[in-house]
Amino acid sequence: MPAAVADDGELRSEQHELTRLLLADLHRELDGRGGDAWARAWELAGTVDRHPGTLDGVLTHPYTRGWLLGSLDALREGGAGAAPLPAARLASTVAAAAVRGGLDLAVPVPYEGGTLLLPTLGELRFSGVEPSGTAEVRPVEKGLLVRAGGSETRIPRPDEPGACWRPVRRLGRDGAPDLAIDDLDPYRDCFGVPVPPRLGHDEAAAWTDRLACAWGLLRARAPEQAAAAAASLTTLTPSTARGPRSGGTESALWASLCGPVPRSWRRCCCAAGAGRACGPCWRSPTCTRTTAGGRIRRRGRSRRSRCPSCWRGRTNAPGCAPSTRTGRRPP
């Protein structure tokens, strides 16, 4: 039995390795077509990655895989304008990692629509500047400083809302894990169901209550699964969809719990109001080698038998030693 199947830590390691390989594959697929913006973001990614764990904290965000796969598909399908698009997301990922790590590093980040999103942190809405351009993000003390169009915006604490800043909120309470409730990331619609816009304060508070109640039930009835899930799940993604308890209406609010699904919890649903435990890293959204039950069919140990949608990488991610990133079996 592969170690990733039997050990939750090994599973997380393998899934993260797969994400890094997909990033390296995107770099190779661009082959210079990403322009100066991608080259600059890639170089800065290598700089940040020299600080152990700093870049990984954002690369493990559950929507990273959807961005990478979508970008690769667009490039291979030859979509018009597909090549420049990945640079903005990589730059924002590097900037978020630099802020989280408190690095003395200025990161240029392209933005559109007058908003700048930093994955895992939040969204800044500009005023008085051009609706599209490039902003410079730099960590300062416990927050960040953003320069764009000759103006400066200082965000002293990224976890607190401000006049132009909308943070990614946290849900932990009454023994429930401290999950992020991400209702900002544009790639959060990767679960095949529609997602609502930013939740109001009362709606977010209601999810805190639902999670606390559901987690109390899970700990009481399945403590081992609760402990394993708390160590693996990171993010709750609200979505609007029909569910078994919605009575056929579109108003029922569902949520996906995101993160590497622990071994003891892979077939378990968490009823947070009405919710489902999702491990987007467990299999690729485009993987066709699945059974009706969602299990990956393994056809042997050869590299050629691996699902091409899930195991594309053949080169090393920035700052990654070849000796530690080759010859490993995907999750």
Side-chain angles (χ1 to χ4, degrees):
M1 178 182 295
V5 175
D7 182 82
D8 292 339
E10 184 67 19
L11 173 64
R12 288 191 291 270
S13 176
E14 293 283 3
Q15 289 177 345
H16 179 50
E17 180 181 348
L18 177 55
T19 300
R20 294 181 68 103
L21 287 170
L22 284 171
L23 176 59
D25 197 23
L26 177 58
H27 179 65
R28 187 179 64 251
E29 189 72 26
L30 282 167
D31 193 23
R33 291 180 290 165
D36 293 340
W38 175 267
R40 183 169 56 243
W42 181 261
E43 181 180 357
L44 289 171
T47 300
V48 172
D49 204 35
R50 285 196 282 272
H51 300 264
T54 303
L55 185 62
D56 293 346
V58 185
L59 285 182
T60 53
H61 194 45
Y63 314 129
T64 302
R65 186 77 57 85
W67 158 61
L68 290 169
L69 289 170
S71 297
L72 283 166
D73 288 343
L75 287 169
R76 288 165 179 169
E77 291 168 3
L85 295 179
R89 180 68 181 202
L90 179 60
S92 64
T93 296
V94 173
V99 171
R100 288 163 57 107
L103 305 182
D104 184 17
L105 184 68
V107 182
V109 183
Y111 67 90
E112 296 284 346
T115 62
L116 172 70
L117 179 92
L118 298 178
T120 74
L121 294 179
E123 179 185 78
L124 178 64
R125 292 187 166 187
F126 293 112
S127 61
V129 300
E130 294 296 324
S132 61
T134 300
E136 182 189 87
V137 178
R138 178 185 289 275
V140 290
E141 298 179 356
K142 296 182 179 180
L144 62 146
L145 180 68
V146 181
R147 294 188 175 99
S151 65
E152 291 187 351
T153 303
R154 189 183 184 95
I155 301 164
R157 292 187 64 88
D159 58 343
E160 295 179 354
C164 302
W165 175 253
R166 302 197 295 178
V168 173
R169 293 170 289 201
R170 313 295 300 188
L171 290 178
R173 200 195 71 187
D174 297 340
D178 186 30
L179 302 181
I181 178 167
D182 198 331
D183 49 8
L184 291 172
D185 199 297
Y187 291 94
R188 68 188 188 279
D189 60 352
C190 57
F191 301 108
V193 291
V195 294
R198 173 78 163 180
L199 299 180
H201 177 77
D202 292 342
E203 292 174 303
W207 273 112
T208 301
D209 294 338
R210 289 188 184 105
L211 181 65
C213 179
W215 215 266
L217 291 173
L218 186 63
R219 283 189 303 164
R221 299 181 182 182
E224 180 184 350
Q225 287 88 342
S232 298
L233 301 177
T234 62
T235 308
L236 185 142
T237 305
S239 62
T240 51
R242 287 190 178 128
R245 302 180 186 180
S246 66
T249 69
E250 290 290 347
S251 60
L253 190 61
W254 282 53
S256 297
L257 291 171
C258 312
V261 180
R263 172 176 53 88
S264 59
W265 212 51
R266 286 173 198 157
R267 310 297 295 172
C268 175
C269 284
C270 174
R276 54 198 172 95
C278 291
C281 300
W282 177 238
R283 70 165 186 254
S284 160
T286 58
C287 176
T288 58
R289 294 200 301 108
T290 59
T291 66
R295 295 182 180 177
I296 296 178
R297 295 175 188 158
R298 300 197 181 275
R299 300 178 180 173
R301 296 182 175 271
S302 126
R303 282 180 181 261
R304 294 184 180 180
S305 69
R306 291 169 177 163
C307 170
S309 297
C310 298
W311 190 240
R312 290 170 170 164
R314 291 294 182 271
T315 60
N316 297 302
C320 176
S323 62
T324 62
R325 296 291 171 192
T326 56
R328 299 286 297 278
R329 184 177 177 81

